[in-house]
Amino acid sequence: MNNPEQEVAMMNNINPEMDSAEKRLNELGYKQELRREMTLFKTLAISFSTMTLFTGITPLYGSSLLYAGPATLVWGWLLVSFFTCFVGFAMAEICSSFPTTGSLYFWAAHLAGPKWGPFASWCCAWLEAIGLIAGIGTQAYAGAQTLQSIILLCTGTNKDGGYFAPKWLFLLMYIGLTLIWAFLNTFALEVIAFIDIISIWWQVIGGTIIVIMLPLVSLTTQSASYVFTHFEMATDTTGISSKPYAVVLSFLVSQYSLYGYDAAAHLTEETKGADKNGPIAILTSIAIISVFGWAYILALTFSIQDFSYLYDPNNETAGAFVPAQILYDAFHGRYHNSAGAIVLLFIIWGSFFFGGLSITTSAARVEINVEDLGNTFSCNSLISHLLVRNLKNVYALSRDKGIPFSSIWKKLHPKRKVPSNAVWLCAAICILLGLPILKINVVFTAITSICTIGWVGGYAVPIFARLMMAEKNFNPGPFYMGKASRPIYLIAFLWICYTCSVFLLPTYYPISWNNFNYAPVALGIGLGSIMLWWVLDARKWFKGPVRNINSENGKV
């Protein structure tokens, strides 16, 4: 007897010569609506650029190095990469079975079954929305921090009268970047399409230049034994005396950096042979960023001139941004000026600018209505690498009427045909997240915690649903792990739970208002409200993904 998916396929007279991923899409009850033109290379390029090299490692490098020294930072990257592979394998298998736009949201609904599917997709949708909006904040903060160092070195140094932006100006730079991204998303969407192309090459070429040049320019480099074996705690600074706790915190930079590989899954309805190429792109992205990221960490760590001096508030960069001091020491030591350091910092700043612009584009499109979307954009254009990644998820959510209050935020600008209300809503929430900059020193830790828990937490929902699903009910695609599936899904789920848990931990002791990680409070209020909303109202009308092929008569 045929299962429901096979019956849908038969009733709709699926062409045996059509793309294998399109066949699977029709079996799931969805019509192919996006142009399937993307090659494996293009999908891989977008996925790689989503897992940005600089935006993850650079802002948390200094704090992670401080907790336990270079060895745990260097080996921690490899350890986190290893466990990330389990998540990647799990997502690759699901992607092969469900090569449809909406990915996580769609996967969660179908894997959880009719009873729990709506709730699973609801959780997925909101976790990803939270991760994206907080992601704007991470890019704005890191961009402001890098700009602060650039201004300081352009006007001198902290030792000879250079201008170090105070907290109020830092906040204004944070707000300014957010407003620029919102403005561009409202009035200059054509520019974003061009910036997307620049962004991909900026990551590849810029990363290669820094990784190769930095150790070559440094007058002296640390020994291999220092980089790979030296353990050093800074109890006087962090207040942390427990070695295991310090090691756990030193891994945060790696856990924050290694996600975003689900980008390939969001592109499956536009990728040729997506049931095969989607999994390949996911796993290859993880492999490439693991190698590039480790090379970047090694380049920075080998180039350290004086570990304790990096954090000295009286050093040339005011002890505020460790990578900036490493770059300054290298170029000033060799050429007796900071011009080279400024150029490389500008490359890093550009990465934050592109990343923030893309995430703003993506987050705002959470409210787009599918009909309006079709009239606004060409579905096969690279509007922005993160827009492409998340636009399809939003497209699916809107198609399935899963956005509460979407009537307000889905409205398009009358002339520009962009969701301007949603753009400025995202910008406003991002600015609110950054206001504690004036009083709290660990704002970036809190925002990255919210971002990571939202983004990575969204991965856990379909993985857990697949783990609980009876094997006989799973229709595998070309990439299938067989008997290895269960243990891999279990390890992946536990790793995600661990990752989300550690981002809620205090990062400095004793705890005070000045160093308080407010992520648990913000997430508690936000997720608690969303769950309450579900219980009181949303469960009555939200049904998750809705097929756009009628299984009774084959009509769209």
Side-chain angles (χ1 to χ4, degrees):
M1 183 175 179
N2 294 324
N3 62 37
E5 292 173 359
Q6 291 173 328
E7 291 177 1
V8 171
M10 292 173 62
M11 290 177 180
N12 287 282
N13 300 316
I14 294 177
N15 183 355
E17 296 181 359
M18 71 171 57
D19 184 276
S20 59
E22 185 175 345
K23 288 182 183 179
R24 178 58 179 154
L25 186 67
N26 288 174
E27 289 173 1
L28 293 168
Y30 281 87
K31 171 192 172 186
Q32 176 73 40
E33 295 182 300
L34 306 179
R35 297 176 65 179
R36 195 176 291 276
E37 295 181 345
M38 297 188 94
T39 62
L40 173 60
F41 177 78
K42 184 178 288 187
T43 302
L44 181 60
I46 294 172
S47 185
F48 171 75
S49 64
T50 301
M51 299 176 68
T52 48
L53 179 65
F54 300 126
T55 57
I57 296 173
T58 308
L60 286 180
Y61 176 85
S63 59
S64 293
L65 180 68
L66 181 65
Y67 290 126
T72 55
L73 178 60
V74 169
W75 293 113
W77 180 269
L78 295 183
L79 181 65
V80 173
S81 297
F82 173 74
F83 282 105
T84 298
C85 287
F86 286 91
V87 182
F89 276 112
M91 295 180 66
E93 184 183 75
I94 300 174
C95 178
S96 184
S97 177
F98 298 100
T100 176
T101 191
S103 57
L104 301 178
Y105 162 77
F106 181 91
W107 300 348
H110 281 259
L111 292 170
K115 181 178 179 181
W116 293 102
F119 179 66
S121 55
W122 171 267
C123 292
C124 240
W126 276 104
L127 282 169
E128 187 163 15
I130 289 171
L132 280 169
I133 294 174
I136 302 172
T138 64
Q139 303 306 297
Y141 188 99
Q145 189 176 43
T146 307
L147 188 58
Q148 183 184 49
S149 296
I150 291 174
I151 293 172
L152 176 60
L153 294 181
C154 285
T155 56
T157 67
N158 187 50
K159 285 187 171 183
D160 58 13
Y163 184 74
F164 184 75
K167 286 186 176 182
W168 66 267
L169 184 55
F170 189 102
L171 177 60
L172 288 181
M173 288 190 290
Y174 173 97
I175 295 173
L177 284 172
T178 305
L179 294 179
I180 289 172
W181 295 330
F183 180 85
L184 288 174
N185 271 280
T186 303
F187 299 107
L189 200 62
E190 298 82 359
V191 177
I192 297 177
F194 176 71
I195 289 176
D196 170 63
I197 300 172
I198 297 176
S199 176
I200 292 175
W201 290 108
W202 191 280
Q203 300 292 330
V204 175
I205 297 175
T208 303
I209 290 173
I210 292 178
V211 167
I212 294 175
M213 181 177 289
L214 184 56
L216 293 178
V217 170
S218 298
L219 282 177
T220 61
T221 56
Q222 295 292 340
S223 66
S225 62
Y226 174 83
V227 172
F228 294 108
T229 65
H230 184 68
F231 181 90
E232 181 178 350
M233 295 177 62
T235 304
D236 292 342
T237 303
T238 64
I240 296 170
S241 56
S242 168
K243 290 183 179 180
Y245 193 81
V247 170
V248 166
L249 293 181
S250 72
F251 289 175
L252 292 181
V253 62
S254 305
Q255 291 166 298
Y256 169 60
S257 304
L258 287 166
Y259 62 82
Y261 39 87
D262 59 313
H266 288 269
L267 299 168
T268 50
E269 277 191 40
E270 296 175 87
T271 303
K272 298 175 182 177
D275 51 347
K276 302 181 185 70
N277 289 334
I280 292 173
I282 290 173
L283 297 175
T284 305
S285 297
I286 294 174
I288 292 174
I289 202 67
S290 295
V291 173
F292 262 76
W294 202 48
Y296 182 45
I297 288 174
L298 289 177
L300 288 171
T301 309
F302 269 108
S303 302
I304 293 173
Q305 303 300 300
D306 183 345
F307 178 85
S308 60
Y309 188 64
L310 294 176
Y311 302 92
D312 187 345
N314 296 314
N315 69 17
E316 287 80 2
T317 57
F321 193 37
V322 167
Q325 186 63 39
I326 293 175
L327 293 174
Y328 174 86
D329 288 342
F331 282 91
H332 189 270
R334 174 75 66 178
Y335 302 110
H336 306 294
N337 65 67
S338 58
I342 293 171
V343 171
L344 295 191
L345 281 172
F346 179 75
I347 292 175
I348 293 172
W349 180 83
S351 181
F352 293 128
F353 182 84
F354 296 145
L357 178 62
S358 297
I359 294 175
T360 303
T361 308
S362 305
R365 267 80 188 160
V366 170
E367 316 300 345
I368 291 182
N369 177 275
V370 65
E371 289 81 6
D372 294 328
L373 174 66
N375 294 328
T376 305
F377 304 115
S378 169
C379 291
N380 67 328
S381 65
L382 296 183
I383 300 167
S384 154
H385 65 268
L386 270 172
L387 169 58
V388 174
R389 172 209 177 282
N390 291 289
L391 186 55
K392 306 308 176 289
N393 183 56
V394 172
Y395 164 85
L397 274 170
S398 300
R399 171 179 62 191
D400 301 329
K401 302 177 182 179
I403 306 293
F405 303 122
S406 61
S407 60
I408 298 175
W409 313 117
K410 73 181 181 183
K411 290 182 179 179
L412 302 185
H413 189 281
K415 292 184 179 180
R416 301 290 177 177
K417 299 300 181 183
V418 296
S420 53
N421 289 353
V423 168
W424 292 99
L425 172 67
C426 293
I429 296 174
C430 174
I431 291 171
L432 289 176
L433 285 174
L435 291 180
I437 286 172
L438 294 173
K439 295 293 183 180
I440 299 176
N441 291 331
V442 291
V443 171
F444 186 74
T445 300
I447 298 177
T448 54
S449 296
I450 296 170
C451 175
T452 306
I453 291 170
W455 210 318
V456 180
Y459 298 175
V461 182
I463 288 176
F464 180 75
R466 171 70 179 94
L467 183 64
M468 295 293 102
M469 186 183 200
E471 197 66 27
K472 64 180 181 180
N473 295 330
F474 181 68
N475 186 4
F479 184 86
Y480 179 54
M481 297 180 289
K483 294 182 179 179
S485 295
R486 294 289 177 184
I488 288 176
Y489 280 102
L490 179 60
I491 294 172
F493 178 72
L494 293 176
W495 175 251
I496 292 173
C497 291
Y498 165 75
T499 298
C500 293
S501 298
V502 296
F503 273 96
L504 296 174
L505 296 174
T507 53
Y508 286 91
Y509 284 91
I511 299 173
S512 65
W513 285 111
N514 192 45
N515 61 24
F516 175 62
N517 179 7
Y518 60 87
V521 176
L523 284 169
I525 295 173
L527 292 177
S529 300
I530 291 166
M531 291 301 103
L532 182 63
W533 190 354
W534 170 263
V535 172
L536 297 179
D537 181 50
R539 64 186 176 86
K540 300 173 184 177
W541 51 263
F542 182 77
K543 303 302 179 185
V546 178
R547 291 173 173 173
N548 61 4
I549 292 180
N550 190 314
S551 60
E552 294 182 359
N553 55 28
K555 295 182 179 179
V556 177

